[in-house]
Amino acid sequence: MKLMSFNVNGLRACINKGFYDFLKKEDPDILGIQETKMQEGQAVIDNMGYYTYMNSAIKKGYSGTMVFTKKKPLSVHYGLTSGSHNDEGRTITLEYEDFYYVTLYTPNSKDGLLRIPYRMEFEDALREYLLELKKNKHVILCGDLNVAHNEIDLTNPETHHFDAGFSDEERNKFSELLNAGFVDTFRELYPDVVKYSWWSYRALSRVRNIGWRIDYFVVDKEFMPRVKDSLILNDIEGSDHCPVALIIE
């Protein structure tokens, strides 16, 4: 199976930049997208033969997630435990026979880490939710997690230690998730590879490859033997992020 994740930074804009061509060419079994920035009905979506599920933020033009899947899931859940933390449409969970697929758009802590208290609350709730899922079957988490975990995961780390996405608080929360029994699949398979998944629109950052790796596939440790590859497809455009993919047996 090919599983994919893509922060489209506005689905309507990405559609105009070739989203459907990307979907047809890559032909994923499941695709989670983040930052749709739209409510249902704001655009005509071509399902391309997929089942589709959307979780929109209450605030228009903000956040939001969506999933395209070839196989109808056993169940679909929006939000975290008991549907909490769902005002911003940040999570969708699809249940299949032997795993849960969770697509996630983690809150940005904002300039000056103004939203770090909420980010920490969200991270704790997320970890609790994933551990509850893990009691029942395997867990595959994907999306824009808004953190570069280690210095290898961004350009010029020495200048970003107090910035959103590379603060000690955010990095430590990601470590807590891994220590709870989960694996960063790309870094597990490619411990020394420098590759990014997001570039600022400023200063020709993508052309100069000044970027961050903040888009992930994370799985529980027991699922890792089924992972055949974890990919960052940084030749695919249409957003300030590029897609990431997980190949499983």
Side-chain angles (χ1 to χ4, degrees), residues 8-205:
V8 295
N9 192 12
L11 181 56
R12 288 169 291 179
C14 195
I15 287 171
N16 293 330
K17 297 176 183 178
F19 174 78
Y20 292 127
D21 292 334
F22 149 75
L23 187 59
K24 182 178 180 180
K25 179 181 178 182
E26 293 297 327
D27 192 33
D29 293 283
I30 310 175
L31 168 67
I33 61 177
Q34 304 88 42
E35 214 170 352
T36 56
K37 294 184 175 180
M38 61 175 284
Q39 268 75 23
E40 290 193 55
Q42 285 191 295
V44 176
I45 302 297
D46 183 350
N47 293 343
M48 302 280 286
Y50 287 85
Y51 296 95
T52 58
Y53 304 92
M54 179 179 287
N55 190 12
S56 300
I58 293 174
K59 179 181 177 181
K60 290 184 177 180
Y62 178 72
S63 187
T65 48
M66 189 173 182
V67 179
F68 290 71
T69 176
K70 289 182 177 179
K71 185 175 182 179
K72 189 175 182 179
L74 300 176
S75 69
V76 181
H77 178 75
Y78 303 97
L80 301 180
T81 304
S82 301
S84 64
H85 294 283
N86 201 30
D87 288 351
E88 298 177 357
R90 293 187 176 275
T91 57
I92 305 175
T93 301
L94 274 54
E95 179 186 5
Y96 294 95
E97 286 79 3
D98 58 347
F99 63 80
Y100 294 99
Y101 174 97
V102 183
T103 193
L104 168 69
Y105 179 41
T106 300
N108 189 302
S109 295
K110 302 297 183 184
D111 290 343
L113 302 180
L114 293 178
R115 214 181 184 204
I116 197 74
Y118 178 71
R119 171 69 178 263
M120 297 296 97
E121 178 185 332
F122 185 94
E123 294 275 8
D124 289 339
L126 172 68
R127 189 175 62 258
E128 177 185 336
Y129 175 64
L130 297 177
L131 287 171
E132 283 298 313
L133 293 181
K134 187 172 175 284
K135 292 178 181 178
N136 299 316
K137 56 186 71 176
H138 294 298
V139 175
I140 300 172
L141 170 70
C142 70
D144 175 1
L145 306 193
N146 259 319
V147 62
H149 187 217
N150 293 308
E151 291 192 350
I152 191 175
D153 295 318
L154 74 165
T155 309
N156 302 322
E158 63 279 357
T159 67
H160 292 290
H161 275 293
F162 301 100
D163 291 343
F166 197 59
S167 68
D168 289 344
E169 295 93 333
E170 292 160 312
R171 295 167 68 194
N172 288 341
K173 285 297 181 186
F174 191 74
S175 293
E176 284 185 41
L177 178 62
L178 300 185
N179 292 337
F182 294 90
V183 178
D184 171 357
T185 59
F186 180 82
R187 192 54 69 209
E188 181 76 9
L189 296 175
Y190 304 103
D192 302 315
V193 172
V194 176
K195 209 166 186 180
Y196 306 129
S197 66
W198 174 79
W199 304 263
S200 170
Y201 280 130
R202 301 174 183 173
L204 298 175
S205 295

